[in-house]
Amino acid sequence: MLGTKQTKSNTPTQSGNIFDLPHPKGSLIAGHAADFGRDPLGFLTKCAQEYGEIIPLRFANNRALFVTNPKYVERFLKERDLFVKPQLLKRLHDLLGQGLLTSEGETWFRQRRLAQPVFHQKRIATYGEVMVDYTEKMLASWKDGETREIQGEMMRLTFNIVMKILFSSDVTEEQAQSVTHAMSVAADWLMVARKALVPYLSDRFPSPLNIRYKNAMRQMDKHIYDIIQQRRASGENPGDLLSMMMQAQDEDDGSRMSDKQLRDEIATLIFAGHETSANTLTWAWMLLSQNPEVQTKLRQELKEVLGDRLPTIADLPSLRYTNLVIKESMRLYPVVWNMFSETSADCEIGGYHVPAGCTIIGSQWVMQRDPRFFEQPEVFNPDRWAGDLEKQLPPGVYAPFGGGPRICIGRSFALMEVVLLLAAIAQKFELTLVPGQTIIPQPTITLQPKDGIKMVLKKLVNENSTTPES
């Protein structure tokens, strides 16, 4: 039975120790921690290319297995009782608490059940107008010929959208700035924390970054709890996500979310609801600029489907190529670039015995660029998805939103948002990379460009006029 100690039925069918399988050489003390911390994407890619489908790794005293066989990846996505959240993710407790991203077992199941109605298809469809409206407000400030750092633009846009959808008009400028600051500090903190050889001690050492992180979380919590308490005191129900979560009832016992549970889900939704979408759009703009023939094809679809009007939720099925552009962007630059889990009991992988407490690693970055599954994997080609490619791929290969029972609950929301925003912006502006800049993918909590991406804005000419729109 999953979640309990395994019996003789899991005796390995392969001879030998799984940790003796071929693997890269690590240092005596740190193992592979330094190599992974320095360049996670390059290190995991090299491991996959050189050492097979099960690669033993060691991070100081912690044993790990990096798996690249889709069957193994699918298994640890599906069997949530056996493959549980790892310690690294639990170290984000100050930021995300016991939200859906970090919780386990009955806590996760109850929270998922309470949150599910919030993300019902009919519910999220009402947010499309908010998304396009905020995009129009941003575009009104853009000028033809100016240079913008596009990741920052997308982060501000998606943050404003998620705060409006979450809180209606309850949020002050101070509260919004506190939340964005906390998210930024958390990303910096995790970059350093990932490299620590003794996590328990490093997290508690009063370093300047640890103090900054704790203070940022404290300020964020104060503002989120203030919003929750103000809403409870007012008794108002403006129909936003906060109201829906406050009204959600457990179908078994009729209970509702406590203030602490609301705080954790709000923090999770803010993080997952703006950073992931913003970075997906950022990579899409970079890829479109690098592939002008794709950009031309995209604009042609927007012209045929939308003409001069703004996109709406009803247009999504017709924006087929726009969807393919997003799909291919997420393949090449998956915002969730890897997956960690930890075995809760002894088990077997590939016929080998795996002990409890072993970290299992999968990587969307590696799997989604694997030539075993994708022809010319480094090429940006949205048309590769036009047929039945996704159905032909083994489960576990293409998983930008994870998979199994823990697949991202906000998947439909995120896809709706990035397609609508891409369409609304590409209708009016062409974005071109500033020449000479070096763009480095940086895997923090999400995959983002290390120093942002600078792009030149070109306002598109309305076909009914001879000059750019004013």
Side-chain angles (χ1 to χ4, degrees):
M1 183 176 178
L2 295 180
T4 60
K5 281 288 182 182
Q6 302 298 298
T7 62
K8 290 183 180 179
S9 62
N10 278 320
T11 301
T13 58
Q14 303 280 359
S15 61
N17 188 329
I18 194 169
F19 297 108
D20 291 334
L21 289 172
H23 59 273
K25 184 179 180 180
S27 69
L28 182 63
I29 297 175
H32 304 97
D35 291 331
F36 180 82
R38 187 164 43 246
D39 180 14
L41 304 178
F43 176 71
L44 293 179
T45 299
K46 185 176 181 181
C47 285
Q49 291 170 346
E50 297 183 2
Y51 298 105
E53 296 184 338
I54 305 176
I55 303 108
L57 301 173
R58 180 172 62 84
F59 302 97
N61 294 324
N62 299 317
R63 293 282 194 179
L65 297 170
F66 174 38
V67 296
T68 63
N69 184 315
K71 291 182 180 179
Y72 308 154
V73 175
E74 181 191 19
R75 186 178 173 211
F76 86 67
L77 287 173
K78 281 188 173 181
E79 299 182 27
R80 65 180 180 88
D81 293 324
L82 179 59
F83 299 96
V84 298
K85 295 294 181 182
Q87 289 301 316
L88 180 64
L89 192 57
K90 292 175 183 177
R91 291 166 72 187
L92 287 173
H93 182 269
D94 286 340
L95 174 63
L96 303 178
Q98 285 292 308
L100 281 172
L101 193 61
T102 53
S103 59
E104 293 284 4
E106 284 303 312
T107 300
W108 171 84
F109 186 74
R110 179 180 181 275
Q111 289 297 95
R112 179 90 179 196
R113 192 168 57 211
L114 281 171
Q116 193 70 53
V118 173
F119 289 96
H120 189 277
Q121 193 69 37
K122 289 183 179 179
R123 291 277 195 186
I124 65 172
T126 64
Y127 308 140
E129 188 174 340
V130 173
M131 295 171 178
V132 175
D133 181 53
Y134 271 80
T135 304
E136 285 295 294
K137 290 177 182 178
M138 179 193 72
L139 295 179
S141 70
W142 284 14
K143 301 291 188 293
D144 183 53
E146 69 179 348
T147 297
R148 296 263 178 158
E149 194 286 290
I150 206 65
Q151 188 209 15
E153 294 290 308
M154 295 300 101
M155 289 285 268
R156 282 187 289 275
L157 173 59
T158 57
F159 179 77
N160 289 336
I161 289 170
V162 78
M163 294 297 272
K164 175 66 175 178
I165 290 171
L166 263 172
F167 302 122
S168 189
S169 59
D170 290 344
V171 181
T172 66
E173 184 67 23
E174 182 185 4
Q175 291 167 335
Q177 288 180 356
S178 173
V179 174
T180 53
H181 175 67
M183 297 294 170
S184 175
V185 172
D188 293 341
W189 180 86
L190 188 66
M191 282 286 291
V192 175
R194 189 176 62 205
K195 302 175 185 179
L197 297 182
V198 188
Y200 183 84
L201 294 178
S202 68
D203 291 358
R204 285 154 182 78
F205 185 76
S207 68
L209 182 57
N210 279 349
I211 293 172
R212 186 166 169 251
Y213 178 53
K214 293 288 185 181
N215 287 340
M217 295 304 111
R218 197 175 299 116
Q219 284 298 312
M220 183 185 75
D221 283 356
K222 176 186 179 301
H223 289 302
I224 290 179
Y225 279 121
D226 282 349
I227 293 169
I228 293 171
Q229 289 161 9
Q230 289 165 9
R231 180 63 61 81
R232 287 202 190 280
S234 73
E236 296 177 354
N237 182 357
D240 53 23
L241 284 188
L242 175 58
S243 295
M244 291 182 203
M245 288 191 291
M246 292 176 76
Q247 295 299 318
Q249 285 185 280
D250 190 300
E251 59 188 32
D252 289 343
D253 60 17
S255 62
R256 293 179 176 176
M257 292 190 198
S258 66
D259 284 2
K260 176 64 168 63
Q261 289 169 330
L262 285 168
R263 177 262 171 225
D264 292 348
E265 295 305 341
I266 286 169
T268 300
L269 287 171
I270 292 172
F271 161 67
H274 97 281
E275 183 161 325
T276 52
S277 294
N279 287 326
T280 295
L281 286 163
T282 300
W283 294 120
W285 293 125
M286 181 197 74
L287 290 164
L288 286 167
S289 179
Q290 293 170 337
N291 298 269
E293 72 287 352
V294 175
Q295 190 158 217
T296 299
K297 192 171 179 179
L298 171 66
R299 280 206 303 270
Q300 182 61 34
E301 175 178 86
L302 297 178
K303 180 180 176 182
E304 292 173 357
V305 174
L306 303 175
D308 294 330
R309 64 178 178 79
L310 299 175
T312 68
I313 187 87
D315 295 312
L316 292 179
S318 300
L319 294 173
R320 296 183 182 90
Y321 193 71
T322 312
N323 277 277
L324 300 185
V325 168
I326 291 297
K327 200 178 193 72
E328 179 72 343
S329 299
M330 292 192 298
R331 180 188 71 83
L332 275 172
Y333 291 90
V335 175
V336 181
W337 57 278
N338 76 344
M339 302 170 282
F340 289 89
S341 66
E342 189 175 288
T343 52
S344 63
D346 290 0
C347 60
E348 63 83 22
I349 294 178
Y352 290 91
H353 174 77
V354 177
C358 180
T359 298
I360 312 297
I361 304 171
S363 173
Q364 287 97 323
W365 174 271
V366 172
M367 297 297 286
Q368 294 175 188
R369 289 169 171 253
D370 194 320
R372 292 178 296 172
F373 311 113
F374 299 98
E375 185 178 346
Q376 295 183 298
E378 303 296 324
V379 174
F380 179 60
N381 177 21
D383 282 316
R384 75 171 75 240
W385 300 100
D388 293 326
L389 176 61
E390 188 166 7
K391 294 179 181 179
Q392 296 167 11
L393 292 172
V397 172
Y398 183 73
F401 293 96
R406 299 197 68 141
I407 192 168
C408 176
I409 194 173
R411 178 177 179 272
S412 295
F413 177 97
L415 287 173
M416 177 179 75
E417 180 175 42
V418 292
V419 171
L420 281 177
L421 269 56
L422 186 75
I425 297 169
Q427 264 190 315
K428 296 188 176 181
F429 282 88
E430 180 180 298
L431 280 61
T432 305
L433 289 168
V434 171
Q437 62 181 315
T438 301
I439 301 172
I440 302 172
Q442 178 173 267
T444 59
I445 303 176
T446 59
L447 185 69
Q448 56 186 285
K450 184 178 180 183
D451 298 309
I453 298 178
K454 294 178 181 178
M455 305 194 83
V456 178
L457 310 180
K458 177 185 177 183
K459 198 163 190 179
L460 298 176
V461 177
N462 187 316
E463 65 177 7
N464 296 320
S465 66
T466 57
T467 58
E469 293 178 68
S470 58

